[in-house]
Amino acid sequence: DTAVSQTPKYLVTQMGNDKSIKCEQNLGHDTMYWYKQDSKKFLKIMFSYNNKELIINETVPNRFSPKSPDKAHLNLHINSLELGDSAVYFCASSWGGRPGNTIYFGEGSWLTVV
Amino acid sequence: GEDVEQSLFLSVREGDSSVINCTYTDSSSTYLYWYKQEPGAGLQLLTYIFSNMDMKQDQRLTVLLNKKDKHLSLRIADTQTGDSAIYFCAPLNSGGYQKVTFGTGTKLQVIP
């Protein structure tokens, strides 16, 4: 059983397109995240939702819009894709507000914008 | 925001010990995590230390925390080729809600 699953794993698309990455967790966690890892392996948090409510929103272009239909899902929609959006996007989940609880990561979605 | 620095690369021979270092800036970080990322994979939590501890040992892993200097290290004893990966230091920022800031990552290469 995959705890945090994201789809698609690989995505190649042209500049200007709109794409979505889906994420689901079956751990019963109340908090989900999106992280971006660039080509230099730097890992930065983008968004965090707790019980479907946005609690962390780092400096991310408006083209990125997270959507959490329920506690188990956090999807990432990206409009007007740019070359600089090429990265690996990791979804994660945890029991939020309780330090020390493990953050579980998905396998990542490799996005390439051409 | 928090800054977390690590050396980018470390190469060791199989059987030797590896020491991966990390410095951070937020002195109120409560938990400090170490994550491992194998090629093409997600991040796996290796271990963590609470800020009121100086040391934590977990099998081949030893975490040392110098809170005064805001310095964290991860020692891997008897390093194996399977330990080759990128290791991320990740302090939990103050203010709750599991906002961890990841370091730049240290790529560990184990030479057989």
Side-chain angles (χ1 to χ4, degrees):
Chain A
D1 272 351
T2 303
V4 181
S5 58
Q6 18 181 148
T7 55
K9 181 157 183 163
Y10 299 101
L11 181 57
V12 180
T13 188
Q14 290 186 323
M15 281 175 57
N17 284 349
D18 303 338
K19 291 294 177 185
S20 292
I21 306 172
K22 295 185 177 181
C23 179
E24 176 182 5
Q25 54 95 4
N26 61 7
L27 298 165
H29 289 157
D30 61 355
T31 303
M32 296 185 72
Y33 314 80
W34 277 108
Y35 281 83
K36 177 181 179 182
Q37 186 175 42
D38 63 23
S39 57
K40 295 181 180 177
K41 304 297 184 183
F42 296 145
L43 198 66
K44 297 286 185 187
I45 190 168
M46 300 173 67
F47 302 103
S48 177
Y49 272 73
N50 176 265
N51 285 316
K52 302 191 328 178
E53 181 185 340
L54 182 66
I55 55 169
I56 295 174
N57 184 357
E58 295 296 289
T59 307
V60 177
N62 291 338
R63 299 181 295 104
F64 289 78
S65 53
K67 283 187 173 51
S68 181
D70 54 57
K71 283 196 317 180
H73 295 85
L74 180 62
N75 303 322
L76 183 65
H77 188 75
I78 315 170
N79 289 328
S80 303
L81 278 155
E82 300 177 357
L83 293 177
D85 297 332
S86 295
V88 185
Y89 292 86
F90 286 100
C91 178
S93 73
S94 73
W95 281 110
R98 293 168 67 172
N101 287 337
T102 301
I103 299 178
Y104 290 85
F105 283 84
E107 293 289 306
S109 294
W110 271 253
L111 172 65
T112 303
V113 182
V114 297
Chain B
E2 166 118 63
D3 286 327
V4 185
E5 297 286 336
Q6 302 175 234
S7 53
L8 292 181
F9 192 75
L10 176 65
S11 180
V12 299
R13 293 206 173 273
E14 191 174 17
D16 288 349
S17 292
S18 309
V19 179
I20 301 170
N21 294 303
C22 169
T23 57
Y24 59 97
T25 56
D26 185 354
S27 58
S28 61
S29 293
T30 53
Y31 282 80
L32 300 104
Y33 303 94
W34 282 103
Y35 280 85
K36 176 184 180 183
Q37 185 180 29
E38 295 181 357
L43 286 90
Q44 172 194 359
L45 179 68
L46 274 182
T47 186
Y48 66 89
I49 189 167
F50 187 51
S51 59
N52 68 353
M53 298 168 67
D54 297 326
M55 185 182 86
K56 180 179 179 181
Q57 187 149 4
D58 184 1
Q59 299 181 335
R60 292 191 297 122
L61 305 177
T62 303
V63 179
L64 294 177
L65 174 61
N66 182 328
K67 199 175 175 185
K68 174 175 167 289
D69 294 339
K70 297 193 277 289
H71 182 267
L72 183 72
S73 68
L74 173 70
R75 179 176 179 270
I76 306 173
D78 186 25
T79 312
Q80 303 297 308
T81 54
D83 295 324
S84 293
I86 301 175
Y87 291 80
F88 291 92
C89 166
L92 175 67
N93 300 137
S94 55
Y97 279 124
Q98 295 282 58
K99 184 182 174 183
V100 296
T101 299
F102 284 84
T104 49
T106 298
K107 185 172 183 178
L108 174 64
Q109 180 188 42
V110 182
I111 303 166

